[in-house]
Amino acid sequence: MGFFDYLRTGEFTSYQIIVLILIVYAFTYGKSDFKKLDRYIQTKVAAWKGEPLPEKEKLKKLSGKEHAKKERKQFYIHLIIYMALHVIFALLFGFSDSILQAGSTGGFLDAWFDASDSTIPFNNTNVNNVTRIWTLILVIDGIISLSYTLFPKKEKDART
């Protein structure tokens, strides 16, 4: 739908960005989240109907190095998707002239986070707003994911 909206209007809007984010989410984390939601709904419906509860699949709880490795892998996937879409954004919209005026890295970051009209880094305000939010989410995801390498998740005691 977002593609047809773009063909009709010739503009890249927040609507297309939201559709793109939902598609990327569905192909990455969405699959496991939908499985959890499906299990939850099956349990609730069975309880309402008075039927026996469906057997839950035993999911292996990861800990230590295994959990850290899984978290890093998910972060790397997130990072690759981020970089790939930003290359596409650069090809579609081009970089803003404001990047050259920023000068240093500090000036770039100041202009990027302080600009109310979002003129950095691309020539599209909507894409720039999404980029700012996504970058913040990526940094937080990276800190959390990589923290499991430094502070591994401990295995829970089976008796508790």
Side-chain angles (χ1 to χ4, degrees), residues 58-160:
K58 293 289 183 186
L59 298 175
K60 182 182 177 193
K61 298 286 184 179
L62 298 178
S63 61
K65 290 181 182 180
E66 292 174 336
H67 184 259
K69 184 177 178 181
K70 179 184 175 197
E71 288 290 328
R72 283 192 309 269
K73 180 181 175 186
Q74 289 177 342
F75 171 71
Y76 296 147
I77 291 170
H78 186 182
L79 181 63
I80 289 168
I81 292 169
Y82 175 89
M83 292 185 328
L85 284 176
H86 279 76
V87 167
I88 292 170
F89 290 157
L91 294 173
L92 287 175
F93 306 110
F95 288 109
S96 170
D97 294 333
S98 302
I99 290 176
L100 298 175
Q101 297 170 355
S104 67
T105 304
F108 172 79
L109 292 175
D110 287 342
W112 191 36
F113 284 110
D114 291 339
S116 58
D117 57 356
S118 302
T119 58
I120 291 180
F122 304 109
N123 286 324
N124 186 302
T125 304
N126 294 326
V127 172
N128 290 337
N129 287 330
V130 168
T131 295
R132 284 198 272 189
I133 294 168
W134 194 358
T135 301
L136 182 61
I137 291 169
L138 181 72
V139 168
I140 292 169
D141 183 29
I143 291 169
I144 292 170
S145 297
L146 297 176
S147 72
Y148 288 110
T149 301
L150 300 174
F151 310 104
K153 184 177 179 180
K154 295 187 179 5
E155 189 172 351
K156 289 186 179 181
D157 188 8
R159 292 177 279 155
T160 58

Side-chain angles (χ1 to χ4, degrees), residues 27-40:
F27 283 118
T28 55
Y29 297 104
K31 192 174 181 179
S32 64
D33 288 345
F34 281 120
K35 285 181 183 179
K36 290 177 190 174
L37 178 63
D38 185 46
R39 269 188 249 128
Y40 174 78

